[in-house]
Amino acid sequence: MSRLRTSLSVLLVSAALSTPSAVALGNAGDPVSMTSGFYVDPASNPAVWARANPSHPDAALIRSRIAEQAGGRWFGNWSGDIKAAVTAYTSAADAAGKLPILVAYNIPGRDCGSHSGGGAGSPAAYRTWISAFAAGIGNRPAVVVIEPDALAQLDCVPAAEKKTRTDLLRYAVNELAAKAPNTWAYMDGGNATWIDAAEMARRLQLVEVGKIRGFALNTSNYYPTADSVTKGNAIRGALGGNAQFVVDTSRNGNGSNSQWCNPAGRKLGETSRDGTHLSATLDLLLWLKVPGDSDGNCGIGTGIPAGTFSPVLAKSLITG
């Protein structure tokens, strides 16, 4: 069982967080108050690399600046038995009294077939997968971001399949709301410039975002946090003020140069923590994308497949 924590007013730094505002949204309990900071994934790609390459000249730097910071664990069609994988991850975090960050990334037609293409093989397979994902969390506290880009990329989905995609995302929302009562779940809502706020709010309403905590912005992107806060509040307003949001700050330290795929000159952003110092509507700043993991065979990551860790990419984010 999860351990109830009492240090709600204490500001925690680095991999820790302070308590976001207690807004009664969806059916979820408050996973932040049940834990004492974020869980640092011991099996993240940068952590595995640092352990395997202790003599590398950048190993200590990558270990301290990236591998020892809390970030998201992404789950998809590479995860094997998804219920077992999620159970193992959330159980390890729970045993440590920490809050895990999970990203569900297995929607059919993922990434419109681009660098991160793939996903479940059919709508039925996805429903089975996401149901098992939610069951794997159960009553343990967690933060979940649901299907990065899936709503923002709705325009690339064939017309006959758009409803199928929104139906699947609505199913994911309902499964997490029903099976993971101590999870704050957020549907991905694109980034600061991608989809108009009113249109994104319409899409979020289609998937019944009101049943979960809210939505996520800037996943795997580079826009400044302030831009995401402005966009988040615009979306929230279009939703009637009934949603909170989170922002991915893993790589936005230098902002965006309008490129999204391994652009040069980017930098690590603020580590995972409470976000209410910036806006009462911003629950959390999160490292969702794992810094150093490639966006694909592009930019300064040419030749590095999507999701593959590169110490060169990692160091470039450390030094900016």
Side-chain angles (χ1 to χ4, degrees), residues 6 21 24 76 84 112 116 169 172 192 211 242 245 251 257 261 281 307:
T6 59
S21 57
C112 295
S116 296
L169 293 173
K211 292 184 177 179
N242 295 318
F245 60 95
R251 306 185 297 180
N257 66 353
C261 201
T281 58

Side-chain angles (χ1 to χ4, degrees), residues 251-283:
R251 306 185 297 180
N252 72 349
N254 280 346
S256 172
N257 66 353
S258 299
Q259 299 175 9
W260 68 268
C261 201
N262 297 321
R266 303 309 95 201
K267 194 172 185 178
L268 298 175
E270 193 168 2
T271 52
S272 299
R273 59 160 295 176
D274 164 67
T276 56
H277 63 294
L278 299 176
S279 172
T281 58
L282 172 60
D283 274 343

Side-chain angles (χ1 to χ4, degrees), residues 115-234:
H115 295 291
S116 296
S122 69
Y126 183 76
R127 285 190 290 270
T128 298
W129 186 89
I130 197 67
S131 180
F133 177 97
I137 299 172
N139 291 330
R140 289 178 288 275
V143 169
V144 173
V145 172
I146 305 169
E147 299 299 341
D149 300 339
L151 276 180
Q153 288 181 332
L154 196 59
D155 295 331
C156 83
V157 177
E161 299 175 14
K162 291 183 189 297
K163 185 176 184 302
T164 298
R165 171 163 290 195
T166 55
D167 285 349
L168 291 178
L169 293 173
R170 184 167 60 251
Y171 184 84
V173 163
N174 280 275
E175 285 295 286
L176 282 158
K179 294 181 177 178
N182 294 314
T183 288
W184 277 357
Y186 303 87
M187 178 64 64
D188 190 77
N191 61 50
T193 65
W194 195 349
I195 304 293
D196 174 77
E199 171 59 16
M200 181 50 69
R202 185 190 71 83
R203 297 182 188 188
L204 289 166
Q205 287 172 329
L206 286 176
V207 303
E208 299 182 349
V209 73
K211 292 184 177 179
I212 55 175
R213 183 72 178 178
F215 57 94
L217 294 173
N218 203 49
T219 305
S220 298
N221 220 298
Y222 303 86
Y223 290 98
T225 301
D227 292 1
S228 294
V229 171
T230 298
K231 182 65 170 288
N233 281 321

Side-chain angles (χ1 to χ4, degrees), residues 76-102:
N77 49 328
W78 57 85
S79 299
D81 182 330
I82 188 61
K83 183 177 181 181
V86 171
T87 297
Y89 191 63
T90 55
S91 293
D94 192 46
K98 300 296 182 180
L99 180 59
I101 305 164
L102 298 83

